[in-house]
Amino acid sequence: MHKWVLRLLGLSYLGVLLAAPVGLVFWRTFEHGFGPAWDAVTTPEAKHALTLTVLIAAIVVPANTVFGVICALAIVRRRFPGKGLVNALVDLPLALSPVVVGLAFLLLYSRNGWFGGWLTDHGIQVVFALPIFVSLPFVVREVVPVLREIGIEQEQAAATLGATPFQTFRRVTLPAIRWAVGYGVVLTTARSLGEFGAVSVVSGHIVGKTETMTLQVQDRFQSFDYVGAYAGSVVLALLAIATLLAMSLFKPKEATR
């Protein structure tokens, strides 16, 4: 009896905080039919914002996956000076507001920033250019506990049999951490698709150039174009759902082996 009560409370909590708001967004999007929503997301500005959002995810997710796995291996498998500091800095983006990160980038890399003048003189533009926000901690924090759990016995056995470090990683370590990497990829994808604070500071908010879908949703809402704002939100939600579905489709195949 208590088990069912706890389940009911958990589902009710999720329904109030997640299902109801998302359902309301979908309902308001298609309240007047499919046509207005389709028109809102097929304007040139909306197409460019969606393309830029997907492009950012296509850059950020692979980069964060590679560097996240390398960082996790360094934290768990290596000893080096400043290891504790690196471990703490990994969590810094999770503790800081993205707006603060964007402001820091602005102070460092704007034309009047510490490094902005030198970068501009050499043709490198960071602020008010293609906005990319790195979400490194998600992959690291998913992989680190798994690496600690599996230990080093299998890796040592592979090394004694003559395997190179790369062969050991590809055949022993990577299969053991694949699902941790996968969950980190899902979280990183969701963050890169929905990032707003840092992007709004460093992108310049230029329509048709540096405006992502999240920024366009804000613009549409402030312009009282509620259908456009809700339609853009639905597109972002569908992208996130598609990522989760893609992840779940691979898991049953792996589990049945």
Side-chain angles (χ1 to χ4, degrees):
M1 182 64 181
H2 296 289
K3 183 186 299 183
W4 288 105
V5 172
L6 291 176
R7 290 179 180 178
L8 181 60
L9 290 175
L11 291 175
S12 300
Y13 180 77
L14 291 176
V16 171
L17 291 185
L18 182 62
V22 173
L24 179 61
V25 169
F26 274 82
W27 179 75
R28 292 296 298 271
T29 301
F30 303 106
E31 183 180 7
H32 302 291
F34 181 79
W38 178 256
D39 293 338
V41 297
T42 53
T43 62
E45 295 80 8
K47 289 181 179 179
H48 184 273
L50 178 59
T51 302
L52 183 59
T53 301
V54 174
L55 176 62
I56 291 174
I59 297 172
V60 170
V61 173
N64 276 269
T65 302
V66 172
F67 288 108
V69 172
I70 292 174
C71 186
L73 288 171
I75 291 174
V76 178
R77 296 287 191 259
R78 296 289 183 269
R79 294 182 180 180
F80 54 90
K83 179 179 177 179
L85 179 61
V86 172
N87 194 26
L89 289 176
V90 166
D91 292 328
L92 190 60
L94 296 177
L96 284 177
S97 168
V99 176
V100 176
V101 177
L103 180 60
F105 270 87
L106 196 64
L107 294 175
L108 289 175
Y109 302 116
S110 65
R111 181 177 294 273
N112 297 322
W114 289 5
F115 311 113
W118 182 87
L119 292 172
T120 303
D121 292 339
H122 289 77
I124 302 174
Q125 186 174 358
V126 177
V127 178
F128 307 136
L130 176 66
I132 299 176
F133 185 74
V134 179
S135 333
L136 178 68
F138 294 108
V139 175
V140 177
R141 287 309 170 211
E142 290 292 331
V143 174
V144 164
V146 179
L147 284 174
R148 288 174 175 162
E149 180 68 23
I150 63 176
I152 61 174
E153 289 80 8
Q154 293 183 3
E155 297 174 1
Q156 290 177 337
T160 58
L161 293 174
T164 64
F166 179 75
Q167 289 175 329
T168 301
F169 172 77
R170 183 169 62 87
R171 297 184 178 183
V172 178
T173 308
L174 186 58
I177 64 173
R178 62 188 180 277
W179 284 117
V181 174
Y183 291 132
V185 167
V186 171
L187 293 174
T188 304
T189 303
R191 179 61 177 270
S192 61
L193 291 175
E195 177 57 38
F196 175 80
V199 172
S200 65
V201 175
V202 302
S203 68
H205 219 134
I206 304 173
V207 178
K209 291 185 177 181
T210 61
E211 186 181 59
T212 61
M213 185 58 76
T214 53
L215 300 181
Q216 195 192 55
V217 168
Q218 182 199 36
D219 284 343
R220 293 290 183 92
F221 191 83
Q222 291 180 342
S223 301
F224 302 102
D225 181 9
Y226 297 122
V227 174
Y230 290 130
S233 301
V234 167
V235 170
L236 291 174
L238 291 177
L239 288 174
I241 292 172
T243 303
L244 291 175
L245 288 177
M247 187 71 184
S248 63
L249 287 176
F250 285 102
K251 189 172 183 178
K253 295 179 183 179
E254 194 71 27
T256 54
R257 291 181 181 179

